[in-house]
Amino acid sequence: MQWGNEQPQHRPLLACWPSPMDLVAGCSAQLGASSSEPVDVLKILDFHSSPGGVKQTQGFCAIRRGSKPDVAYRVGKQAQLSTPTKQLFPDGVFPEDFSILMTIKPKVGIQAFLLSVYNEQGIQQLGVEVGRTPVFLYEDQHGKPAPEDYPLFRTINLADGKWHRVAISVEKKTVTMIIDCKKKVSKPLSRSNNAVINTDGITVFGTRILDEEVFEGDIQQLLLVGDPRAAYEYCEHYSPDCETPHQEQPQAQEPEDEVKSTLEGPSDIFH
């Protein structure tokens, strides 16, 4: 998908959409992690300060053994969140094989992109569409795979009003989605050898450019890890069961000392 010349009519993503030159300068002071560490997308997008359209809410575990309750973020239609991709990968290298890890509760019935990565020409290179039928969009430097070959996960419904721990592993020419630490579905990824994702563009949260559909729902965690094996360890090392205390890990749980004053009770708007 390419950026069109027309402006978004229904929902501009930024009050001032950055030009390619603006992307080089950067729109955020925060930097991502090194390639060997998880990239905490919510932290880089400054979720903990509750930007417009985002507010704290109860997370995956209302009660967590030996720890405070989980904290998540409720994302509304008006949220407009993006960052230069180099804020996620300051060294300029997007890993060829990687994992995308997320703990989410989309609004019932929704179908929208949670994450979209564009190159500097405005071509969408990577996208994770969540909802009734998740889609993994990937387009390397040679335009592979073709849109008709994007992996489509027809047997998975993430928009059922429940929390889901979703781990995506991309390794060589296969993409595997693991749902709630149990269900595993693998699809072929017909990309080129030595496939490259360019980091000179922009990463958009909750939609893709010119789309009317936007992500609505709750999100507790969104990590990018330069290791395809991380997806298989998601529920052990990154988003453990409620019986397990919090560890020192990216969980979108900070700052915990503010949770009591800002945490909302469960809402039924997604049920």
Side-chain angles (χ1 to χ4, degrees):
M1 175 189 171
Q2 285 188 293
W3 293 351
N5 292 325
E6 71 269 32
Q7 296 297 316
Q9 298 178 358
H10 298 276
R11 179 179 177 267
L13 294 174
L14 289 173
C16 179
W17 189 258
S19 68
M21 291 301 295
D22 292 331
L23 295 178
V24 176
C27 299
S28 170
Q30 297 189 54
L31 294 177
S34 69
S35 59
S36 61
E37 300 173 345
V39 176
D40 190 337
V41 178
L42 301 186
K43 183 175 182 179
I44 292 171
L45 290 173
D46 206 24
F47 265 62
H48 71 275
S49 68
S50 298
V54 176
K55 57 184 179 181
Q56 285 191 0
T57 188
Q58 182 172 285
F60 174 62
C61 295
I63 300 175
R64 181 174 288 280
R65 181 179 179 183
S67 302
K68 295 180 180 181
D70 289 2
V71 178
Y73 300 93
R74 179 150 297 161
V75 181
K77 280 186 176 182
Q78 66 273 37
Q80 302 174 7
L81 301 163
S82 61
T83 187
T85 304
K86 281 190 175 175
Q87 300 290 345
L88 305 176
F89 299 97
D91 61 0
V93 178
F94 195 107
E96 182 177 352
D97 295 331
F98 56 93
S99 294
I100 303 175
L101 312 175
M102 65 194 90
T103 299
I104 56 174
K105 186 173 73 169
K107 183 179 178 181
V108 173
I110 203 171
Q111 183 76 21
F113 276 86
L114 184 71
L115 190 70
S116 300
V117 179
Y118 295 86
N119 67 12
E120 57 187 340
Q121 285 78 40
I123 297 173
Q124 187 174 7
Q125 309 170 97
L126 180 70
V128 178
E129 189 175 18
V130 300
R132 304 178 304 277
T133 304
V135 179
F136 182 74
L137 184 156
Y138 187 99
E139 183 173 326
D140 64 24
Q141 74 273 30
H142 302 300
K144 294 183 179 182
E148 59 268 23
D149 294 325
Y150 293 156
L152 180 65
F153 295 86
R154 298 182 184 276
T155 61
I156 295 171
N157 177 16
L158 299 176
D160 57 0
K162 300 177 182 177
W163 278 104
H164 293 287
R165 288 177 286 180
V166 183
I168 300 172
S169 173
V170 178
E171 185 169 16
K172 297 180 180 178
K173 298 192 179 184
T174 300
V175 55
T176 300
M177 184 175 290
I178 305 168
I179 308 298
D180 298 321
C181 324
K182 299 175 182 178
K183 186 172 184 177
K184 182 174 71 172
V185 180
S186 294
K187 300 283 185 179
L189 183 64
S190 303
R191 60 178 178 168
S192 308
N193 294 327
N194 303 313
V196 173
I197 294 293
N198 187 283
T199 60
D200 291 331
I202 193 168
T203 294
V204 178
F205 176 88
T207 189
R208 62 178 182 174
I209 298 170
L210 302 182
D211 263 11
E212 294 185 31
E213 294 79 14
V214 298
F215 175 81
E216 295 177 78
D218 296 351
I219 181 167
Q220 179 168 315
Q221 189 176 68
L222 179 56
L223 305 176
L224 302 176
V225 185
D227 183 351
R229 297 168 298 179
Y232 296 90
E233 302 172 343
Y234 185 40
C235 298
E236 179 180 356
H237 294 303
Y238 300 95
S239 185
D241 294 338
C242 298
E243 291 76 21
T244 304
H246 284 310
Q247 305 296 321
E248 292 298 325
Q249 57 195 8
Q251 279 266 20
Q253 297 302 305
E254 52 189 9
E256 285 194 343
D257 57 349
E258 297 180 7
V259 171
K260 289 185 179 180
S261 61
T262 59
L263 191 62
E264 299 179 344
S267 170
D268 60 1
I269 71 169
F270 297 127
H271 294 284

